[in-house]
């Protein structure tokens, strides 16, 4: 008599649903390139290392969060659209991978972005908030090249900004 093979539930789930389910409500891990033009709809948690390649964009909305110790690299002229109210906690963000070429963060109309006290934003920093948006900095922003821009209709700095 033959015994049926046992399949681990997690492996079965992973094989059947793949990345589509991972993006729809579970944690993503490892070195992940964010998809150009894609809208990541939460709630969901990202952990690990993420790259938004040069001249590409991605949008985060509806409760996407980054887990502590997440690294986010915005390539030259890459754009992260933050269309939600949320906090980046314990995230190391590198803006632009070549001196003088910014990575861009846009805060959507009426939305808010908070960098907590353990979050760093380094490089050619460009943060721009649209009408009614709020940018709160409790972290460390370090402009290392280029001219840099920090703007939002409501901008609160409780952290450190250096050039």
């Amino acid at each position: 008599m033959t015994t049926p093979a046992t399949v681990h539930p997690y492996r079965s789930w992973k094989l059947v649903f793949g990345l589509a389910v991972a993006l729809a409500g579970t944690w993503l891990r490892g070195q992940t390139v964010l998809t150009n033009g894609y809208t990541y709809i939460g709630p969901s948690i990202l952990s690990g290392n993420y790259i938004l390649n040069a001249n590409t964009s991605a949008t985060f909305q509806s409760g996407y969060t980054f887990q502590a110790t997440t690294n986010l690299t915005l390539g030259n002229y890459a754009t992260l659209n933050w269309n939600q109210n949320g906090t980046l906690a314990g995230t190391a963000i590198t803006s632009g991978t070549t001196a003088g070429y910014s990575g861009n963060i846009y805060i959507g109309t009426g939305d808010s972005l908070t960098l907590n006290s353990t979050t760093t934003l380094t490089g050619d920093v460009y943060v721009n908030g649209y009408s009614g948006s709020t940018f709160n900095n409790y972290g460390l922003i370090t402009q290392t090249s280029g001219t840099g821009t920090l703007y939002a209709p409501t901008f609160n700095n409780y952290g450190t900004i250096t050039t």
Side-chain angles (χ1 to χ4, degrees), residues 46 48 66-72 87-93 114-120 139:
L46 298 177
F66 288 71
Q67 184 180 16
T69 69
T70 299
N71 298 307
L72 174 62
T87 300
L88 291 176
T91 304
I93 306 165
T114 299
L115 306 182
N116 82 343
S117 63
T118 59
T119 296
T120 60

Side-chain angles (χ1 to χ4, degrees), residues 22-140:
L23 293 175
T26 61
W27 292 14
L28 297 176
R29 292 186 173 88
Q31 180 97 8
T32 304
V33 175
L34 299 174
T35 304
N36 181 36
Y38 192 83
T39 298
Y40 294 85
I41 300 172
S44 196
I45 299 171
L46 298 177
S47 100
N49 299 307
Y50 293 88
I51 299 169
L52 187 54
N53 286 327
N55 299 305
T56 64
S57 67
T59 300
F60 288 86
Q61 66 184 42
S62 303
Y64 245 91
T65 59
F66 288 71
Q67 184 180 16
T69 69
T70 299
N71 298 307
L72 174 62
T73 300
L74 303 175
N76 301 334
Y77 303 122
T79 300
L80 174 68
N81 296 301
W82 190 263
N83 295 347
Q84 62 183 1
N85 296 313
T87 300
L88 291 176
T91 304
I93 306 165
T94 302
S95 180
T97 53
T98 304
Y101 296 89
S102 66
N104 308 301
I105 299 173
Y106 289 99
I107 306 166
T109 300
D111 295 317
S112 68
L113 171 61
T114 299
L115 306 182
N116 82 343
S117 63
T118 59
T119 296
T120 60
L121 174 55
T122 304
D124 190 352
V125 175
Y126 184 93
V127 177
N128 188 19
Y130 290 107
S131 176
S133 67
T134 300
F135 180 49
N136 299 303
N137 176 48
Y138 291 86
L140 172 62

Side-chain angles (χ1 to χ4, degrees), residues 36 133 143 145 156:
N36 181 36
S133 67
Q143 178 73 22
S145 67
N156 300 302

